[in-house]
């Protein structure tokens, strides 16, 4: 029996019967413990993270083993970076981290829509706060070389009018420890947060974070990205793209979770579908790809695009690259696919690249979108 099949059986017999948040913490502990055992982590990395030279990627001024990384939300407090690198993720985006520690929303706050291969969460940025996470990153001794992104958001108790100061506080604490920094203004689980996606609010916020990062880290330029929601109207996607170019941002991550339900053709039971929060996973695939393609038409190669949302397999990752993404991220499918998730995507991407007319992944980025718009 192949290991992926074994995991799917294990998921059905064990994880599916557990509370989703408890299952997450259990898997998280196993990953962290495995990464602490030298022999075990070496064998695990050899099996789960084989390198494909043809997938080596340069993005945001950084060199990575490949284009596929772990999206924010899984490792909120930067406690399992080596564990996730051991599982084959080429970059690990930690967070979302807020200026102050907060417990998040009341439980139960994470739900599996197994029939739709999706998740709904209303976690509410539960994390230890930027000071604690910065200290952990500062004292970390990496075991595996990987790129570490830091995703920052607004503390729930901070009024929307004071959001800029809250983001600046996190930036001052965390920028020095980040290979890249992400401003998250697109989670639906912090009241008022998505209002910051409006360009009149987003412009001063991004400018302040950029200034704080430059002032705090003087020996290099910390790449700055913004993460947007799939629920933005097309004209608002265009406006964010134009603003990113205007401000000299390094990248845009498309997309976060969605609050949509009725238009997604969900098959799960109504009681689950009605749960409030952000929906992620397979049903997000189509809209995330649309937003990504639209961004690429608008910004071209001037800004690095990161595709996330419904990336279940190598074909999904390949379609993101052809649409314009230099980097691709996954999270929800990891819950359903298990520890061989990243390995399967790398293997499939290498095969697709070999069968394509493109000599490198960089040549493939945006190729299909360019065809449509020419």
């Amino acid at each position: 029996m192949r290991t992926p099949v074994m995991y799917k059986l294990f998921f059905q017999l064990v994880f599916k019967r557990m509370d989703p948040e408890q299952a997450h913490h259990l898997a998280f502990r196993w990953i962290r413990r495995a990464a602490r055992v030298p022999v075990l982590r070496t064998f695990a990395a050899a099996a789960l993270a084989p390198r494909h030279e043809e997938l080596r990627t340069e993005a945001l001024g950084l060199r990575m083993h490949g284009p596929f990384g772990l999206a924010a939300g899984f490792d909120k407090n930067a406690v399992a970076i080596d564990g996730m690198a051991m599982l084959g993720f080429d970059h690990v985006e930690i967070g979302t981290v807020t200026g102050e520690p907060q417990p998040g929303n009341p439980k139960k706050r994470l739900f599996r829509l197994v029939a739709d291969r999706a998740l709904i969460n209303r976690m509410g940025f539960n994390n230890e706060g930027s000071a604690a996470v910065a200290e952990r990153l500062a004292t970390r001794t990496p075991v595996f070389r990987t790129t570490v992104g830091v995703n920052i958001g607004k503390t729930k108790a901070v009024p929307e009018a004071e959001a800029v100061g809250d983001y600046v506080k996190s930036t001052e604490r965390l920028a020095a420890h980040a290979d890249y920094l992400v401003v998250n203004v697109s989670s639906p689980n912090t009241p008022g947060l998505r209002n910051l996606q409006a360009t009149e609010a987003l412009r001063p916020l991004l400018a302040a974070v950029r200034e704080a990062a430059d002032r705090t880290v003087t020996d290099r330029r910390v790449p700055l990205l913004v993460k947007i929601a799939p629920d933005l109207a097309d004209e608002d996607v265009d406006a964010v793209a134009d603003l990113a170019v205007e401000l000299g941002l390094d990248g845009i991550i498309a997309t976060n979770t969605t609050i949509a339900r009725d238009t997604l053709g969900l098959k799960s039971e109504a009681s689950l579908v009605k749960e409030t929060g952000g929906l992620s996973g397979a049903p997000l695939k189509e809209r995330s790809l649309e937003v990504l393609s639209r961004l690429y038409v608008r910004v071209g190669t001037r800004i690095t695009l990161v595709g996330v949302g419904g990336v279940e397999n190598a074909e999904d990752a390949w379609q993101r690259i052809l649409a314009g993404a230099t980097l691709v991220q996954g999270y929800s499918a990891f819950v359903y696919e298990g520890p061989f998730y990243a390995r399967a995507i790398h293997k499939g991407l290498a095969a697709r690249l070999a069968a394509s007319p493109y000599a490198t992944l960089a040549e493939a980025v945006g190729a299909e979108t360019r065809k449509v718009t020419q």
Side-chain angles (χ1 to χ4, degrees), residues 3 34-35 37-52 65 82-89 143-144 339-340 342-344 346-347:
T3 303
V37 181
V39 175
L40 180 57
R41 71 187 178 215
T42 299
F43 278 104
L48 302 173
R51 303 303 180 194
H52 298 265
H65 292 300
D82 283 316
M84 305 318 296
M86 176 188 72
L87 295 182
F89 291 99
V143 174
F144 298 105
F340 276 72
R343 176 192 168 105
H346 285 123
K347 184 178 179 181

Side-chain angles (χ1 to χ4, degrees), residues 15 31 56 64 68 96-97 109 173 220 236 263 298:
F15 279 162
I31 293 167
R56 287 180 180 173
M64 307 182 198
F68 187 61
T96 296
V97 183
R109 55 192 182 181
R173 291 171 173 171
R220 64 184 175 95
D236 293 325
T263 59
R298 204 79 176 181

Side-chain angles (χ1 to χ4, degrees), residues 161-176:
E162 300 173 18
V164 171
D166 193 53
Y167 279 92
V168 166
K169 179 196 300 182
S170 293
T171 302
E172 291 171 342
R173 291 171 173 171
L174 292 163

Side-chain angles (χ1 to χ4, degrees), residues 334-358:
F334 179 44
V335 173
Y336 294 105
E337 294 298 314
F340 276 72
Y341 175 47
R343 176 192 168 105
I345 286 184
H346 285 123
K347 184 178 179 181
L349 279 178
R352 282 162 175 78
L353 178 61
S356 78
Y358 313 112

Side-chain angles (χ1 to χ4, degrees), residues 89-116:
F89 291 99
D90 302 313
H91 65 273
V92 177
E93 190 172 308
I94 64 138
T96 296
V97 183
T98 54
E100 300 299 328
Q102 57 186 29
N105 292 322
K107 299 177 181 179
K108 189 176 181 180
R109 55 192 182 181
L110 181 62
F111 307 88
R112 293 191 209 96
L113 282 65
V114 178
D116 297 294

Side-chain angles (χ1 to χ4, degrees), residues 165-332:
D166 193 53
Y167 279 92
V168 166
K169 179 196 300 182
S170 293
T171 302
E172 291 171 342
R173 291 171 173 171
L174 292 163
H177 313 297
D179 290 317
Y180 68 86
L181 197 64
V182 182
V183 171
N184 185 351
V185 288
S186 50
S187 170
N189 300 317
T190 295
L193 185 73
R194 286 191 168 193
N195 295 338
L196 298 175
Q197 291 180 114
T199 53
E200 61 269 21
L202 192 57
R203 178 180 282 103
L205 171 58
L206 293 175
V209 170
R210 177 74 272 168
E211 189 278 330
D214 292 341
R215 171 170 39 82
T216 305
V217 184
T218 58
D219 60 339
R220 64 184 175 95
R221 187 180 190 277
V222 180
L224 179 63
L225 300 83
V226 64
K227 187 169 187 176
I228 64 173
D231 306 313
L232 284 177
D234 287 347
E235 56 269 27
D236 293 325
V237 172
D238 294 344
V240 171
D242 294 343
L243 179 62
V245 172
E246 174 193 328
L247 295 179
L249 252 61
D250 299 275
I252 301 173
I253 300 180
T255 61
N256 211 320
T257 59
T258 182
I259 57 173
R261 297 290 189 273
D262 295 341
T263 59
L264 299 178
L266 301 175
K267 296 175 286 187
S268 296
E269 55 198 74
S271 60
L272 278 175
V273 172
K274 291 178 181 177
E275 292 289 350
T276 59
L279 184 144
S280 60
L284 194 54
K285 191 175 305 188
E286 183 178 345
R287 177 56 181 165
S288 291
L289 191 58
E290 287 176 357
V291 172
L292 178 64
S293 297
R294 190 173 190 91
L295 286 169
Y296 187 78
V297 169
R298 204 79 176 181
V299 305
T301 59
R302 292 175 291 178
I303 287 179
T304 297
L305 299 179
V306 183
V308 58
V311 179
E312 296 190 276
N313 50 47
E315 180 60 23
D316 293 332
W318 182 239
Q319 291 303 319
R320 295 305 192 284
I321 291 168
L322 294 177
T326 300
L327 299 176
V328 182
Q329 295 179 340
Y331 173 2
S332 298

